[in-house]
Every structure is written in structure tokens, then in C-alpha cells.
Amino acid sequence: MRGGGAVSTLELRGLRAERRTVVLAAVLLALLLGLSLLGLCYGASWSSPGEVLAVLTGAEQSVVILDWRLPRVLAGLVFGAALGVAGAIFQNLTRNPLGSPDVIGLDAGAYTGALVAITVLSGTSAQLAVGSVLGGLLVAAVIYLLSFDRGFSGLRLVVIGIAVNAMVTAVNSWIVLRAELEVAIAAVGWSAGSLNGVGWADLRIPFTVIAVLLTLMAARAHAMHQAALGDAIAVTTGVGLDRLRLLMVLVGVGCTATVTAVAGPIAFIALAAPQIGRRLAGAAGVPLLPAALTGAVLLQGADLLAQMLLAPVALPVGVVSTAIGGCYLIWLLTKEVGRA
């Protein structure tokens, strides 16, 4: 009887967690719709919601809404979701809330690859994309190899990642200092992370890549959560840890590098979104769906703030996300220290 009671209690908790996740997803989707509508309405001239809906349904034509505002809004949603998932992947992999791409150096590595494409090559979109991915993968491989010592340790990976991040950031500064003045100015401005001037031509390939990567990760989401419970549990349930970790790293780096190639390194979305989503969902691990939706809300909200704070001048969204994320990081570190 006791065993049956324990099982039923676990099942009830699981159903409550799933119900709470569904409710949270619905609330976040409604919030995303509201933020997206606001993003399509807001600009140098205000467009009413009726005008926006008329343009979206094809009843009216507007270059400003369709070709200027809509790509920016979609970029905020998709890139925010991609960063949220990348953060959730690495926080599950390391089992540490600090294990996000921007903390352990993957953002900096992707930025290094993009800098090489800008300063050494001609800096085309394809070169930026390939350079970002290769830079992120190279840094991820270095961190993984250095942190692997008779077994995988998430804490060791985070500590080594922070050290590698500092060294790669120094290399990036050196590359910028050695570049020609115009190239250096462009690289520094791009490094802030911005959605300003994003158009349809910039988004077709990145959106396709992100869709493929998120589909791959969604198919392995259950195995990822099993692995987050511990290696022993994962192995007994038939999860191939080595292949799963390789896939997680590739998807996480791919999402981070793809966003970096288009918008530059947008800091702290990948750090904050998974933990905020996890707490709102009341989940034991770091689920992917709340992380993706929370990342989309955070990036879209930060981009709207970036446009409004010093209007008509639009700030880079990375400035706002860093300011918000810095406050979150202080709170997170304080909580972790208090727990220890």
C-alpha cells in the first residue's frame, strides 16, 4: 500500500507540473503576442493595431511594417527562443545555473570566429555564419577536453569555461586593436548585440538552421532530462550519454553561433531565461519549452526597451539585456552563496 501511495503521489506531482507548464506556456504565448503587436506598432511613427492587422492580412500594404518592423520582431522571438534553449541545454549538461553559453565562453568563441571573418576575410553573411560556428565549436572542444578528467564534471566545466571566456575575450580585444579603424569601429559596435537593421535577407538561413536544431533537441528532450537526473539513472534507462552530450553541445553551440552571426553576442538571455522559466513552471530540471518562451519574451521585451529608452535613437539590445542580466546574475550568485 505504501509503495502504491508513493507512486500515486509522484504521478500527481508530475501531472501538476505538466498542467502548470501548459498554463505557463499559454500565458507566455499571450505575452509574446502582445509584445509582438507592440513591436509592429512602435516606431518613428505609431501604427494602430488595426493598421498592423490590416497589413498582416494583406488588406493594406506597408513597407515599414512588413519589411522593417516584422523582421525585427520575428528575429527577437526566434533568437530569444534559440538562446533560451541553448542556455537550458548547457545548464542541464553542467547541472549548474551558471552553465550558460555567455558565461562559459561560447559567445566569446563565436565572436572570435566572426571577428576573423570581418578582419581577415570580406565579412559576408556566409563567412560570419561559418566563422561563428567554427569559433564556438573550437572553444567548446577546448573547454570540454580541459574539464574531462577521469569523468565528466559540470562544475569543472563551468570553472574552466569562465577562465577560457576571460582568455578568449582578451584575444578578441587584441584582434579589434590590431584591425583597421573602420573595421574596428564596426566590430565594436556589432559586439554590443543588436537587432537594428535586421532584414528578411539576414534571416532566411538562420531561421532554417535554428528550426532544424530545435527540432533535433526537442526529439531528445526526454533523454536530456533523464541525463540531468544523474549518469546512473540515465544509463539504466538506455540513454547513450556520450552521443547525447555531443548532440547537446552541437545544438547549443549551433544556436548560440547562429544568433551571434546575425545579431552579435547578446548577453545574459541564455543565462536568465532557463532559470526563470524553470521557476515559473515549478519544474525539477530545466525544461526546454519554458526556457524557449521565456527567452523570446526577454529578448523581445529588451529590444522594445532599447528602442524606447533614448528614442528616436535605438540602443543595441545587448546593452539592455546586459543591464537586466547583470542584476539577475548578482541575485543568482547571492542565492547560490547563501545556499552553500
Side-chain angles (χ1 to χ4, degrees):
M1 290 294 291
R2 287 181 183 177
V7 171
S8 61
T9 302
L10 289 173
E11 288 176 350
L12 283 173
R13 286 179 182 172
L15 288 173
R16 285 173 189 165
E18 289 180 7
R19 190 180 300 118
R20 185 167 173 175
T21 300
V22 171
V23 172
L24 173 64
V27 171
L28 290 176
L29 284 172
L31 184 56
L32 282 175
L33 286 174
L35 289 173
S36 300
L37 181 60
L38 179 59
L40 292 173
C41 292
Y42 183 81
S45 61
W46 175 264
S47 302
S48 69
E51 291 173 331
V52 170
L53 292 175
V55 170
L56 293 179
T57 55
E60 296 181 13
Q61 293 294 320
S62 172
V63 173
V64 172
I65 294 175
L66 284 180
D67 294 334
W68 296 359
R69 296 178 187 172
L70 184 58
R72 182 174 188 147
V73 167
L74 291 178
L77 298 179
V78 175
F79 290 170
L83 291 174
V85 168
I89 286 171
F90 283 101
Q91 288 176 12
N92 275 303
L93 187 66
T94 61
R95 299 171 201 162
N96 192 310
L98 289 174
S100 74
D102 39 5
V103 173
I104 63 176
L106 301 185
D107 272 13
Y111 181 43
T112 304
L115 278 178
V116 172
I118 292 173
T119 57
V120 177
L121 306 173
S122 56
T124 63
S125 299
Q127 290 170 352
L128 282 173
V130 173
S132 297
V133 172
L134 291 179
L137 285 174
L138 179 60
V139 170
V142 170
I143 294 170
Y144 191 85
L145 290 174
L146 290 175
S147 61
F148 193 88
D149 181 19
R150 289 173 296 182
F152 178 80
S153 170
L155 178 60
R156 192 186 300 121
L157 187 146
V158 170
V159 173
I160 291 174
I162 291 172
V164 171
N165 185 22
M167 290 187 285
V168 174
T169 301
V171 171
N172 292 343
S173 299
W174 178 81
I175 293 174
V176 171
L177 288 172
R178 297 286 296 176
E180 295 180 5
L181 181 59
E182 290 139 5
V183 175
I185 291 172
V188 170
W190 183 72
S191 69
S194 177
L195 298 178
N196 297 337
V198 172
W200 290 117
D202 304 312
L203 299 179
R204 291 186 181 93
I205 294 176
F207 278 9
T208 303
V209 172
I210 289 172
V212 171
L213 293 174
L214 295 187
T215 302
L216 283 174
M217 201 62 245
R220 299 292 289 160
H222 180 70
M224 182 190 73
H225 292 307
Q226 291 290 101
L229 297 175
D231 291 358
I233 295 176
V235 170
T236 56
T237 54
V239 175
L241 288 176
D242 291 337
R243 284 178 297 175
L244 176 64
R245 284 171 180 157
L246 178 60
L247 175 66
M248 290 170 69
V249 169
L250 290 176
V251 172
V253 172
C255 287
T256 303
T258 302
V259 174
T260 302
V262 179
I266 300 175
F268 289 110
I269 299 295
L271 173 70
Q275 291 300 312
I276 294 173
R278 181 183 72 83
R279 285 176 168 81
L280 291 175
V286 187
L288 294 179
L289 180 61
L293 294 176
T294 305
V297 168
L298 288 178
L299 186 54
Q300 183 62 26
D303 188 48
L304 282 170
L305 279 177
Q307 295 178 65
M308 295 176 179
L309 285 176
L310 297 179
V313 177
L315 290 172
V317 67
V319 173
V320 177
S321 68
T322 300
I324 297 172
C327 298
Y328 170 80
L329 182 59
I330 292 172
W331 173 82
L332 180 62
L333 290 172
T334 304
K335 187 167 184 180
E336 291 298 312
V337 170
R339 223 182 251 172

